[in-house]
Amino acid sequence: MSKNYWLHRIKSGEIGIVLSTPLLFEKNILSIGWSDFSEESFIDNFDTEFNEKFEAWGNPRNRWCLYRFLKEMKKGDVVLVPTPYEFSLFEIVGERPYSCEKLDLNGAKDWNGNEVEYREGYIYQKDTNRIIDIGFFWNVKPIKTKIPRVYADGPLFSRMKIQQINSDITSLSSNVEDALNRAETGQPLNLYSEIKENTCGIILEKIRKMPGDNKFEELVKSYFEHLGARVEVPAKNSSRTEDGDTDAVAYFEELKVAIRVQAKWHKDTTSDDAVKQIVVNSEKYQNTEYHSVLWVISSCDDFSDEAMRKAEENNVRLINGKTFAEMLLRTGIAGLETI
């Protein structure tokens, strides 16, 4: 039987990543969220249960990520898991996926060292009593972990930037195998990629050491001015809370385009609040002379599932810290506002 290749992010909801990461790299457990549905009966009666439950939820677009995870992935498939600056390859070894009620949490801790436990259908963080969104999982074995992205070619490198939870990348199977061979022989694809990868990491580290979110907003403003835009920064508290918020508006006169930006100085995950703020504000304060484009620029590692869903629904571009560092590097960092 031929094997498929998948890209799968182990985000698992708002705080799921704190457990999904050690589960994968320490216990060879590949997980996904949707803990509200996490029962063995849901898997056993998947065809009926999937349609019924998601019809009640209004059929959100990201339901197909769970469909691929439970219905299309299979034993022998290769799964590429992207993490900041790196990616890892795993082979599915389990005969079938399981719900979190089958997960062995003996000795399991999140990446902050907090103990976790399963009760009443959910996994809880003991110290805070918060639900960690781990709903379903596959048993896997590592092929090679923590491969620097400099070993990936252009098409594979670009695919790893997609924001959705998972995707069929079988069409890039040869790209994946080539990247694996280069990693095992220690031969990066090219010098430019290696320099870019290392430099972007340094830039992002400096951004996260800025003395506050105001400095990050100044950097965003400086970036657009570097591109030739006229940038306006709305006065803080100039609008009511229910009017949302915009941190900067970059006007490109020749194109008659206005990029409205919500800037977030975050480290781990940025939630859907940023998307809500920029969408609501843009609806209330549009300039009809310009075509409005909505961006959220964050220094985060990634965005929450809900943020990605809302961004897709409202045509908002999400830019995480790594991508923003690459944008700064391409534009040229000389003259940019710094700390």
Side-chain angles (χ1 to χ4, degrees), residues 4 11 16 25 28 33 50 57 87 90 97 99 119 125 130 167 228 231 249 284 301:
N4 291 327
K11 290 164 50 56
F25 291 103
N28 296 328
F50 181 83
W57 276 46
F87 65 97
F90 296 86
S99 67
R119 52 185 164 88
Q125 194 177 48
R130 293 177 66 187
S167 174
V231 183
V249 185
K284 292 182 178 292
D301 290 328

Side-chain angles (χ1 to χ4, degrees), residues 165 270 303:
I165 294 298
T270 293
F303 293 87

Side-chain angles (χ1 to χ4, degrees), residues 277-289:
Q277 290 172 359
I278 195 71
V279 170
V280 171
N281 191 261
S282 67
E283 291 173 348
K284 292 182 178 292
Y285 300 102
Q286 282 194 7
N287 186 329
T288 57
E289 185 182 351

Side-chain angles (χ1 to χ4, degrees), residues 3 42 56 59 76 87 93 112 118 124 141 145 147-148 166 174 182-184 192 204 211 235 242 263 276 296 308 322:
K3 61 183 177 183
F42 180 80
N59 288 327
F87 65 97
V93 296
N112 295 313
Y118 175 84
Y124 286 85
K141 69 176 182 180
T145 61
I147 305 170
N166 52 38
S174 61
R182 283 191 291 272
E184 290 181 336
Y192 170 76
L204 182 55
E242 60 267 27
K276 293 177 184 176
V296 174
M308 290 189 286
K322 178 68 183 304

Side-chain angles (χ1 to χ4, degrees), residues 131-241:
I131 292 175
I132 299 179
D133 189 16
I134 303 290
F136 302 90
F137 70 92
W138 277 99
N139 291 307
V140 298
K141 69 176 182 180
I143 298 173
K144 191 173 182 63
T145 61
K146 299 183 179 180
I147 305 170
R149 294 197 185 191
V150 294
Y151 293 105
D153 61 15
L156 182 59
F157 192 94
S158 296
R159 188 65 63 88
M160 283 190 276
K161 294 181 179 181
I162 66 171
Q163 296 295 325
Q164 67 195 54
I165 294 298
N166 52 38
S167 174
D168 185 342
I169 60 169
T170 305
S171 62
L172 294 175
S173 60
S174 61
N175 307 69
V176 174
E177 295 299 332
D178 288 346
L180 176 60
N181 291 333
R182 283 191 291 272
E184 290 181 336
T185 58
Q187 297 179 339
L189 187 62
N190 57 58
L191 182 61
Y192 170 76
S193 296
E194 186 172 8
I195 292 173
K196 182 178 73 170
E197 190 73 12
N198 292 335
T199 304
C200 287
I202 295 172
I203 293 173
L204 182 55
E205 182 181 1
K206 294 292 290 184
I207 288 173
R208 289 175 173 170
K209 288 182 179 179
M210 283 182 163
D213 53 0
N214 289 337
K215 279 294 182 182
F216 183 63
E217 292 173 11
E218 290 177 15
L219 178 62
V220 171
K221 176 177 180 289
S222 184
Y223 165 75
F224 282 107
E225 289 175 339
H226 230 54
L227 294 177
R230 173 176 60 86
V231 183
E232 291 184 0
V233 178
K236 295 296 183 182
N237 302 320
S238 62
S239 61
R240 298 168 297 177
T241 301

Side-chain angles (χ1 to χ4, degrees), residues 246-262:
T246 297
D247 292 316
V249 185
Y251 294 97
F252 293 87
E253 300 293 346
E254 294 297 323
L255 300 175
K256 291 301 177 185
V257 169
I259 300 180
R260 306 182 68 88
V261 181
Q262 174 69 216

